[in-house]
PDB file of all heavy atoms in Angstrom:
ATOM      1  N   LYS A  38     -22.316  24.590  19.249  1.00 95.00           N
ATOM      2  CA  LYS A  38     -23.629  25.216  19.132  1.00 95.00           C
ATOM      3  C   LYS A  38     -23.695  26.458  20.010  1.00 95.00           C
ATOM      4  O   LYS A  38     -24.128  27.523  19.575  1.00 95.00           O
ATOM      5  CB  LYS A  38     -24.704  24.202  19.544  1.00 95.00           C
ATOM      6  CG  LYS A  38     -26.096  24.575  19.122  1.00 95.00           C
ATOM      7  CD  LYS A  38     -27.117  23.577  19.681  1.00 95.00           C
ATOM      8  CE  LYS A  38     -27.049  22.248  18.957  1.00 95.00           C
ATOM      9  NZ  LYS A  38     -27.790  21.178  19.655  1.00 95.00           N
ATOM     10  N   ARG A 109     -30.595  22.139  25.231  1.00 95.00           N
ATOM     11  CA  ARG A 109     -29.929  21.573  24.048  1.00 95.00           C
ATOM     12  C   ARG A 109     -28.476  21.256  24.362  1.00 95.00           C
ATOM     13  O   ARG A 109     -27.769  22.062  24.941  1.00 95.00           O
ATOM     14  CB  ARG A 109     -29.973  22.592  22.901  1.00 95.00           C
ATOM     15  CG  ARG A 109     -31.287  23.315  22.782  1.00 95.00           C
ATOM     16  CD  ARG A 109     -31.209  24.478  21.804  1.00 95.00           C
ATOM     17  NE  ARG A 109     -30.908  24.058  20.451  1.00 95.00           N
ATOM     18  CZ  ARG A 109     -30.656  24.901  19.454  1.00 95.00           C
ATOM     19  NH1 ARG A 109     -30.646  26.208  19.685  1.00 95.00           N
ATOM     20  NH2 ARG A 109     -30.407  24.441  18.252  1.00 95.00           N
ATOM     21  N   THR A 122     -32.821  16.899  22.273  1.00 87.00           N
ATOM     22  CA  THR A 122     -33.125  18.218  22.787  1.00 87.00           C
ATOM     23  C   THR A 122     -34.482  18.173  23.486  1.00 87.00           C
ATOM     24  O   THR A 122     -35.405  17.526  23.013  1.00 87.00           O
ATOM     25  CB  THR A 122     -33.215  19.195  21.601  1.00 87.00           C
ATOM     26  OG1 THR A 122     -31.951  19.203  20.966  1.00 87.00           O
ATOM     27  CG2 THR A 122     -33.584  20.587  22.037  1.00 87.00           C
ATOM     28  N   VAL A 273     -34.838  24.100   8.064  1.00 91.00           N
ATOM     29  CA  VAL A 273     -33.381  23.942   8.083  1.00 91.00           C
ATOM     30  C   VAL A 273     -32.856  24.291   6.698  1.00 91.00           C
ATOM     31  O   VAL A 273     -33.559  24.129   5.708  1.00 91.00           O
ATOM     32  CB  VAL A 273     -32.959  22.493   8.426  1.00 91.00           C
ATOM     33  CG1 VAL A 273     -33.431  22.101   9.802  1.00 91.00           C
ATOM     34  CG2 VAL A 273     -33.482  21.504   7.390  1.00 91.00           C
ATOM     35  N   GLU A 297     -38.137  19.142  15.543  1.00 73.00           N
ATOM     36  CA  GLU A 297     -37.575  18.162  14.634  1.00 73.00           C
ATOM     37  C   GLU A 297     -38.583  17.651  13.597  1.00 73.00           C
ATOM     38  O   GLU A 297     -38.269  16.725  12.872  1.00 73.00           O
ATOM     39  CB  GLU A 297     -37.027  16.977  15.430  1.00 73.00           C
ATOM     40  CG  GLU A 297     -35.993  17.385  16.445  1.00 73.00           C
ATOM     41  CD  GLU A 297     -34.607  17.568  15.847  1.00 73.00           C
ATOM     42  OE1 GLU A 297     -34.393  18.586  15.133  1.00 73.00           O
ATOM     43  OE2 GLU A 297     -33.753  16.713  16.062  1.00 73.00           O
ATOM     44  N   GLU A 341     -30.509  26.486  11.191  1.00 94.00           N
ATOM     45  CA  GLU A 341     -31.866  26.116  11.579  1.00 94.00           C
ATOM     46  C   GLU A 341     -32.591  27.376  12.028  1.00 94.00           C
ATOM     47  O   GLU A 341     -31.990  28.250  12.646  1.00 94.00           O
ATOM     48  CB  GLU A 341     -31.828  25.099  12.733  1.00 94.00           C
ATOM     49  CG  GLU A 341     -31.058  23.839  12.360  1.00 94.00           C
ATOM     50  CD  GLU A 341     -30.917  22.845  13.507  1.00 94.00           C
ATOM     51  OE1 GLU A 341     -31.442  23.095  14.606  1.00 94.00           O
ATOM     52  OE2 GLU A 341     -30.261  21.810  13.273  1.00 94.00           O
ATOM     53  N   LEU A 352     -31.843  29.592  15.083  1.00 97.00           N
ATOM     54  CA  LEU A 352     -31.644  28.712  16.242  1.00 97.00           C
ATOM     55  C   LEU A 352     -30.294  28.031  16.250  1.00 97.00           C
ATOM     56  O   LEU A 352     -29.870  27.480  17.252  1.00 97.00           O
ATOM     57  CB  LEU A 352     -32.743  27.654  16.278  1.00 97.00           C
ATOM     58  CG  LEU A 352     -34.127  28.182  16.614  1.00 97.00           C
ATOM     59  CD1 LEU A 352     -35.141  27.062  16.554  1.00 97.00           C
ATOM     60  CD2 LEU A 352     -34.136  28.817  18.003  1.00 97.00           C
ATOM     61  N   GLN A 353     -29.639  28.015  15.122  1.00 96.00           N
ATOM     62  CA  GLN A 353     -28.363  27.300  15.078  1.00 96.00           C
ATOM     63  C   GLN A 353     -27.662  27.596  13.766  1.00 96.00           C
ATOM     64  O   GLN A 353     -28.299  27.810  12.745  1.00 96.00           O
ATOM     65  CB  GLN A 353     -28.603  25.786  15.172  1.00 96.00           C
ATOM     66  CG  GLN A 353     -27.325  24.992  15.283  1.00 96.00           C
ATOM     67  CD  GLN A 353     -27.594  23.501  15.488  1.00 96.00           C
ATOM     68  OE1 GLN A 353     -28.713  23.089  15.805  1.00 96.00           O
ATOM     69  NE2 GLN A 353     -26.568  22.704  15.304  1.00 96.00           N
ATOM     70  N   ARG A 355     -23.779  26.251  11.761  1.00 93.00           N
ATOM     71  CA  ARG A 355     -22.475  25.584  11.843  1.00 93.00           C
ATOM     72  C   ARG A 355     -21.931  25.449  10.421  1.00 93.00           C
ATOM     73  O   ARG A 355     -22.681  25.609   9.446  1.00 93.00           O
ATOM     74  CB  ARG A 355     -22.597  24.215  12.511  1.00 93.00           C
ATOM     75  CG  ARG A 355     -23.522  23.290  11.746  1.00 93.00           C
ATOM     76  CD  ARG A 355     -23.658  21.936  12.427  1.00 93.00           C
ATOM     77  NE  ARG A 355     -24.819  21.247  11.893  1.00 93.00           N
ATOM     78  CZ  ARG A 355     -25.623  20.462  12.591  1.00 93.00           C
ATOM     79  NH1 ARG A 355     -25.426  20.280  13.874  1.00 93.00           N
ATOM     80  NH2 ARG A 355     -26.631  19.860  12.020  1.00 93.00           N
TER      81      ARG A 355
HETATM   82 MG1   MG B1020     -29.830  21.421  15.505  1.00 82.79          MG
END
Side-chain angles (χ1 to χ4, degrees):
K38 196 185 287 167
R109 319 170 63 187
T122 299
V273 298
E297 303 278 73
E341 302 176 2
L352 290 177
Q353 186 175 346
R355 60 181 164 216

